[in-house]
Amino acid sequence: MTQMNVDICSKSASAASGVRRSRGLWRAASLLTVVLAATQLQGCFVLGLGAVGTTAYVATDRRTAGSILEDNTIELKADNRISSALGAGVNVRAVSYNQQVLLVGQVPSEADKQKAEQVVKGVPNVKAVLNEIDIGPVADLNRSATDTLITTKVRARLIDARDIFGNAFKVTTSNSVVYLMGIVTQREADRAVQIARDTTGVSKVVTMFNIISEQQLQDMRNPQKENAPPPEPRGNNPA
């Protein structure tokens, strides 16, 4: 039983109803974010939504607000450095979670792949880099659309799961390989991997988790306790 379920059982019926409504709103907001990513909308509408989205994720993300801001800064700097170092003809994306960076995409040579990793390692505050860049031609629109759809399905299934908290996970897909990041317990990690593996179209699941204990999770959920800093990465594990 998740902490949310424990809280619901211990409160009055009216409080339980409020929690369910809140959960429904978070699910709707999360799915809206996924749909926007899937359609790859650009421009002022997405920027306008960003202010709301940031507030939502600060409230539900297990990273601190400072860590979220740092991850966003790392991604921006990493993408800019890769673009300057490699130029046109590559498609590389940096995804940062708790200052761990995942690199996905396509480059024409092994030298380009290693160069991308080196420039990202030079970004301030990066703790670790998992280089999953493919060597080959840039993915076409069909491949990109398929990856986006897989991410959408995995994300939705994580949100629908009643025994874990979907917003604790960051999902990235490249060439049908799903990468899962997050600050989670081993129980949550195992369940998320199972969900991702069972999703249509997924060829492999790779995890980049920060594993915490169940007690640490309870402490994070208790606003009266001071949260300890997120744990250091425990390695990159193909699942």
Side-chain angles (χ1 to χ4, degrees):
M1 179 178 290
T2 64
Q3 179 67 32
M4 179 174 291
N5 287 337
V6 171
D7 289 343
I8 290 174
C9 291
S10 65
K11 299 183 189 300
S12 65
S14 60
S17 178
V19 171
R20 286 193 294 269
R21 287 196 299 270
S22 176
R23 181 187 179 97
L25 288 174
W26 283 124
R27 181 179 184 278
S30 300
L31 288 175
L32 177 59
T33 302
V34 170
V35 170
L36 289 175
T39 55
Q40 299 181 346
L41 293 177
Q42 303 289 332
C44 61
F45 176 70
V46 175
L47 289 175
L49 183 67
V52 178
T54 300
T55 302
Y57 276 108
V58 167
T60 61
D61 199 305
R62 290 176 184 170
R63 294 172 293 177
T64 64
S67 182
I68 294 173
L69 178 60
E70 186 61 51
D71 283 330
N72 291 338
T73 301
I74 287 173
E75 289 180 358
L76 179 61
K77 290 181 178 179
D79 286 342
N80 287 338
R81 292 192 182 194
I82 291 170
S83 179
S84 296
L86 300 184
V90 303
N91 174 37
V92 177
R93 180 159 59 103
V95 182
S96 181
Y97 190 96
N98 199 27
Q99 290 78 66
Q100 301 173 78
V101 180
L102 166 68
L103 295 178
V104 294
Q106 304 83 36
V107 295
S109 69
E110 179 66 30
D112 288 327
K113 177 177 179 177
Q114 295 306 317
K115 189 172 185 179
E117 179 176 340
Q118 290 305 312
V119 298
V120 172
K121 284 182 176 178
V123 174
N125 299 319
V126 170
K127 296 177 181 177
V129 177
L130 174 59
N131 190 347
E132 292 288 289
I133 300 172
D134 294 322
I135 299 173
V138 171
D140 59 22
L141 290 179
N142 287 336
R143 177 72 268 167
S144 297
T146 298
D147 286 341
T148 300
L149 178 59
I150 290 173
T151 296
T152 302
K153 291 191 294 185
V154 172
R155 182 76 175 131
R157 294 188 70 203
L158 289 172
I159 293 170
D160 279 339
R162 297 296 179 180
D163 52 345
I164 57 175
F165 188 57
N167 281 336
F169 299 89
K170 191 164 190 174
V171 183
T172 303
T173 306
S174 180
N175 198 26
S176 298
V177 178
V178 169
Y179 300 89
L180 299 176
M181 308 170 82
I183 300 171
V184 297
T185 65
Q186 190 62 58
R187 170 185 56 82
E188 292 174 314
D190 294 342
R191 179 73 172 113
V193 168
Q194 178 189 28
I195 290 172
R197 279 177 174 168
D198 292 341
T199 302
T200 303
V202 174
S203 63
K204 185 171 71 170
V205 179
V206 176
T207 64
M208 201 173 179
F209 290 137
N210 295 141
I211 300 297
I212 59 176
S213 68
E214 294 289 346
Q215 184 59 55
Q216 285 176 302
L217 178 57
Q218 294 296 329
D219 292 345
M220 293 173 72
R221 287 169 169 170
N222 187 344
Q224 302 303 317
K225 293 187 178 182
E226 183 178 352
N227 292 338
E232 293 296 318
R234 289 183 53 181
N236 309 318
N237 305 306

